[in-house]
């Protein structure tokens, strides 16, 4: 039994390492100037977190094969398109008190995730239209 356990453990470690290499190579291709990334893995997904050149928090998600699933960027409210900011303030009476992340996914239009207090997030596109959001992972 012990003789079987060690090879299985080594094989599973090798598979995880190989998948991690694929993720690392994809990340380097997608973000060549980024060096300081913290990685963690949950199920079949790799999550990287770093600060970009504008000191914004960035979260990137890859599958085990190195395919980027999603990138989330913290945005300052002043950087949100005017029509999105106007719509949020009018509809939700926020007076500018909200947090925003921009979500980019391959083959989808970018979305803004708007968090207003403890409410569920609201998702909008660049044209200030509400959108449904479903995670790919």
């Amino acid at each position: 039994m012990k003789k079987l356990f060690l090879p299985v453990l080594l094989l599973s470690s090798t598979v995880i390492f190989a998948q991690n290499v694929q993720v690392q190579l994809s990340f380097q291709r997608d973000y060549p100037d980024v060096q300081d990334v913290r990685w963690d893995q949950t199920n079949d997904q790799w999550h990287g977190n770093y600060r970009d050149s504008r000191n914004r928090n960035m979260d990137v998600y890859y599958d085990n094969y190195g395919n980027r699933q999603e990138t989330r960027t913290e945005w300052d409210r002043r950087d949100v398109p005017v029509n999105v900011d106007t719509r949020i303030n009018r509809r939700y009476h926020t007076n500018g008190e909200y947090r925003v992340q921009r979500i980019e996914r391959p083959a989808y239009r970018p979305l803004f995730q708007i968090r207003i207090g403890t409410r569920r997030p609201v998702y909008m596109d660049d044209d200030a239209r509400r959108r449904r959001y479903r995670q790919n992972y």
Side-chain angles (χ1 to χ4, degrees):
M1 180 79 166
K2 288 183 183 178
K3 290 180 181 179
L4 180 62
F5 180 72
L6 186 58
V8 169
L9 179 64
L10 288 174
L11 178 62
S12 65
S13 297
T14 303
V15 170
I16 289 172
F17 178 75
Q19 291 165 342
N20 189 2
V21 168
Q22 288 177 314
V23 171
Q24 291 290 341
L25 290 173
S26 294
F27 180 80
Q28 292 287 321
R29 181 194 66 230
D30 295 342
Y31 305 97
D33 297 332
V34 176
Q35 300 297 322
D36 190 23
V37 183
R38 290 180 311 251
W39 289 99
D40 61 78
Q41 182 189 25
T42 306
N43 299 327
D44 293 334
Q45 178 184 327
W46 289 89
H47 168 236
N49 177 267
Y50 67 96
R51 303 296 266 179
D52 73 358
S53 60
R54 294 176 57 189
N55 202 32
R56 299 180 299 185
N57 189 48
M58 301 285 293
D59 291 292
V60 293
Y61 299 89
Y62 287 87
D63 66 15
N64 277 331
Y65 303 104
N67 299 311
R68 186 170 52 89
Q69 301 296 305
E70 183 171 290
T71 302
R72 289 175 171 252
T73 309
E74 255 181 28
W75 272 38
D76 188 289
R77 194 189 122 243
R78 294 176 300 232
D79 295 331
V80 174
V82 173
N83 57 341
V84 173
D85 183 60
T86 302
R87 175 105 188 248
I88 292 166
N89 286 313
R90 281 188 186 156
R91 182 172 182 125
Y92 300 102
H93 311 289
T94 64
N95 198 27
E97 296 296 320
Y98 62 87
R99 295 183 321 269
V100 63
Q101 280 187 327
R102 183 175 169 98
I103 302 171
E104 297 178 28
R105 302 178 293 171
Y108 290 91
R109 289 184 62 188
L111 293 176
F112 292 101
Q113 178 189 58
I114 312 298
R115 292 198 172 268
I116 305 162
T118 58
R119 293 181 186 175
R120 291 179 57 170
V122 174
Y123 298 92
M124 290 187 177
D125 63 18
D126 288 332
D127 298 322
R129 289 186 300 235
R130 279 191 70 163
R131 295 291 181 199
R132 288 184 180 212
Y133 168 73
R134 210 173 129 217
Q135 291 178 325
N136 291 340
Y137 46 90

